[in-house]
């Protein structure tokens, strides 16, 4: 049976995302995001499920760095989960002195913790479920977890539906070794990472290549290139699919200007259809290419 390696242990939000994306594969928990990616790179799993961005805390940097470094992986699908938290403790705990979770979870319950557990020391764990395991094992008193962790671990629910920001969401990717992308749907996202020499206007020129072709950017993140202080990689998500003319044309233009790694074209989980300006449809590109061909052959001018 084929396998999806996911950022675990059992009971993480990522497990929930992996379940929603699975088409019957076995789900295999990995302790860290890089470990889930390595499992795919080494062929121990066919796919990896990892979080990529959060509407409150922003990018998941371990995922971005893992996508830019080592051998290429591409996103073939995504899931979007609403994120509200459950706070778990051992039944015998009377006073919560320590509360543990993943940094993205802690960032989203800061106000709740200040109001409800002001005396508790906040401790960072590798994932929400790793925090639940540590509470079960007596290391900490409480964990901020995914709702599913309450079914996974024998702990008491102290609070449910905890979230400083209502409607917070996290987006997850299903990663594969390079492969033909899924068919375009009209509601797709394409992702790349671009690295370029540090000179005036370089990023503006890159963004212009997209704007000129009527491509709507949906995310832009910069990450430092390790060992090269002051130099950055840019992660871009935009509407559209590499199979579409405007996207293929833009990627070719970027490729001429800078180093580009393709991170996948896949359907958007929110189903939002791409806005395509009136001059940037596939038939506009085809008609323009046909005109150039005819001019070159002397049929037209
Ligand atoms: O730790 C988890 O459960 C994860 O899957 C990462 C995460 C943490 C906080 C919000 C969403 C995802």
């Amino acid at each position: 049976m084929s396998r999806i390696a996911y950022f675990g242990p059992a009971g993480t939000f990522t497990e929930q995302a992996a379940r929603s994306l699975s088409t019957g594969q076995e789900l295999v928990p990995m302790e860290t995001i890089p470990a889930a990616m390595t499992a795919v790179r080494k062929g121990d799993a066919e796919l990896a499920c990892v979080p990529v961005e959060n509407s409150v805390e922003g990018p998941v940097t371990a995922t971005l760095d893992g996508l830019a470094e080592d051998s290429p992986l591409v996103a073939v699908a995504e899931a979007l989960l609403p994120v509200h938290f459950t706070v778990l403790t051992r039944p015998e705990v009377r006073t919560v002195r320590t509360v543990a979770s993943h940094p993205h979870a802690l960032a989203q319950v800061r106000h709740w913790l200040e109001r409800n557990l002001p005396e508790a020391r906040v401790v960072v764990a590798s994932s929400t479920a790793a925090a639940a395991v540590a509470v079960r094992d007596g290391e900490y008193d409480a964990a901020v977890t995914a709702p599913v962790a309450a079914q996974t671990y024998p702990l008491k629910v102290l609070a449910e539906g905890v979230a400083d920001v209502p409607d917070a969401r996290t987006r997850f990717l299903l990663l594969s070794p390079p492969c033909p992308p899924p068919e375009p749907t009209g509601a797709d996202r394409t992702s790349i990472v671009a690295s370029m020499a540090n000179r005036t206007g370089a990023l503006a020129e890159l963004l212009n290549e997209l704007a000129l072709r009527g491509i709507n950017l949906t995310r832009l993140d910069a990450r430092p290139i390790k060992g090269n202080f002051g130099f950055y990689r840019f992660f871009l998500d935009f509407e559209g699919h590499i199979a579409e003319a405007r996207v293929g044309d833009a990627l070719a233009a970027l490729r001429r200007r800078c180093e580009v790694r393709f991170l996948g074209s896949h359907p958007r989980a929110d189903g939002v259809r791409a806005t395509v300006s009136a001059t940037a449809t596939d038939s506009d590109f085809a008609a323009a290419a046909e005109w150039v061909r005819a001019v070159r052959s002397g049929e037209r001018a």
Side-chain angles (χ1 to χ4, degrees), residues 221-283:
D221 281 309
R223 289 287 300 151
I225 299 179
K226 294 180 190 69
N228 216 346
F229 184 72
F231 286 77
Y232 293 88
R233 291 189 180 100
F234 296 98
F235 290 80
L236 287 82
D237 282 357
F238 44 85
E239 290 180 353
H241 192 290
I242 191 169
E244 293 173 293
R246 70 188 188 292
V247 175
D249 204 55
L251 289 178
L254 296 182
R255 179 74 188 183
R256 281 188 282 107
R257 287 186 181 279
C258 60
E259 219 180 279
V260 179
R261 183 183 274 200
F262 178 66
L263 301 179
S265 287
H266 57 78
R268 288 176 67 147
D270 58 12
V272 174
R273 298 186 69 78
T275 48
V276 187
S277 63
T279 56
T281 64
D282 278 6
S283 53

Side-chain angles (χ1 to χ4, degrees), residues 23-40:
T23 49
Q25 297 92 338
E26 182 190 352
L27 301 188
V28 188
M30 297 287 158
E31 274 299 314
T32 63
I33 289 173
M37 292 184 173
T38 301
V40 175

